[in-house]
Amino acid sequence: MSGGARRVLEAWKLGLVRYGDALRLQERLVADRRAGRVSDLVLSLQHPPTYTLGKRRTDHNLLLPEVELRGLGAEIHRTERGGDVTFHGPRQAVLYPILSLRTIGLGARRYVEGLESAMIEVAALYGVKARPGAAGETGVWVGDRKIGAIGVRISSGFTCHGLAFNIDPDLGYFKHIVPCGIADKEVTSLRREAAVELPPDEAIHDQLVQSLARTFFFSDVEVKDESECADMVCLSAATQS
């Protein structure tokens, strides 16, 4: 993207948010971004244990009946994002960018590559050499072990959903699915792969946001915490049941 105008990415730090609440918030914010009521932003959060399926509805990649998955304490959601089944849970960093790709000057492929790049860059901070998926492999990998998932929805150039980067989630939940529809591959985490001590999860969330901002040509990040979002009547709209 050309031009010298200062571009700021808002980062909304929301903590632990139920998946359905985050989905409704994204839907509202995409409409607001399309109408010009908000600027480009990214939601930074975690989910309670949750399995999600993409728009292809690949239920055969759930290895247990839904009632048993719920018995593990997990929610199940079917969405309109791309990608296959995946798991979200505590100690996994989730970023949901709400961006105008036309404003940034990116197409869908370059956007997805940017999400991959952000995770690869953060992994490298801890000595972990990650890579984009090869043909037929979505997300970000360390060797043949998946550390980051990507599932996006782009409508008329506006984005939602995003990435999930495994800091130190309970990897046992992944045993009950075929993660992202790719059989015979392991799922890993930054904690498992790094040879150094990790900082608090919040710091890694922040590093992901900063990397994302640089990748997509933002000159600065303006952080808003949960209380500020509530003041703007943003979070309250999302948490209605």
Side-chain angles (χ1 to χ4, degrees):
M1 180 179 174
S2 61
R6 180 174 179 268
R7 299 180 59 249
V8 177
L9 178 68
E10 289 189 6
W12 293 13
K13 299 172 66 171
L14 302 180
L16 188 69
V17 181
R18 292 183 64 181
Y19 189 86
D21 294 337
L23 184 59
R24 285 186 287 273
L25 178 56
Q26 289 180 80
E27 290 169 348
R28 178 186 175 202
L29 288 172
V30 168
D32 286 346
R33 183 68 189 92
R34 193 188 307 269
R37 291 187 291 267
V38 298
S39 59
D40 287 331
L41 60 93
V42 59
L43 307 180
S44 176
L45 51 86
Q46 300 180 61
H47 291 304
T50 306
Y51 293 102
T52 70
L53 295 100
K55 58 186 177 182
R56 288 186 290 160
R57 301 294 189 264
T58 50
D59 292 55
H60 58 278
N61 286 326
L62 297 174
L63 301 181
L64 291 178
E66 290 189 25
V67 65
E68 293 187 29
L69 294 175
R70 291 191 176 95
L72 298 172
E75 296 182 359
I76 301 172
H77 289 270
R78 290 167 172 78
T79 77
E80 293 303 312
R81 63 161 172 79
D84 209 293
V85 61
T86 194
F87 171 77
H88 297 301
R91 307 213 64 197
Q92 180 190 70
V94 175
L95 298 188
Y96 292 139
I98 312 295
L99 307 177
S100 168
L101 293 186
R102 293 175 181 172
T103 299
I104 300 172
L106 293 179
R109 180 171 181 175
R110 179 66 186 89
Y111 172 63
V112 171
E113 290 173 349
L115 298 179
E116 293 172 342
S117 176
M119 291 189 280
I120 291 168
E121 182 176 299
V122 170
L125 295 176
Y126 302 98
V128 176
K129 187 174 182 179
R131 61 169 178 85
E137 296 177 343
T138 60
V140 169
W141 299 72
V142 179
D144 61 356
R145 303 173 300 283
K146 189 166 190 174
I147 196 171
I150 293 174
V152 304
R153 184 181 184 192
I154 302 172
S155 176
S156 301
F158 295 92
T159 70
C160 61
H161 296 281
L163 66 83
F165 183 70
N166 294 334
I167 300 173
D168 190 23
D170 182 347
L171 298 179
Y173 280 98
F174 288 96
K175 296 179 181 179
H176 308 305
I177 60 174
V178 180
C180 300
I182 303 173
D184 303 320
K185 298 286 187 178
E186 293 184 23
V187 177
T188 191
S189 66
L190 189 63
R191 172 68 68 187
R192 179 171 290 187
E193 299 293 338
V196 299
E197 184 175 352
L198 300 182
D201 288 6
E202 183 177 0
I204 298 173
H205 279 252
D206 292 345
Q207 289 166 343
L208 276 170
V209 168
Q210 292 289 341
S211 180
L212 192 80
R214 287 191 298 272
T215 299
F216 294 140
F217 318 115
F218 291 93
S219 52
D220 201 0
V221 174
E222 181 179 325
V223 176
K224 296 183 182 297
D225 63 21
E226 188 173 341
S227 63
E228 291 177 286
C229 291
D231 290 342
M232 296 184 296
V233 199
C234 297
L235 190 60
S236 60
T239 53
Q240 292 175 2
S241 301

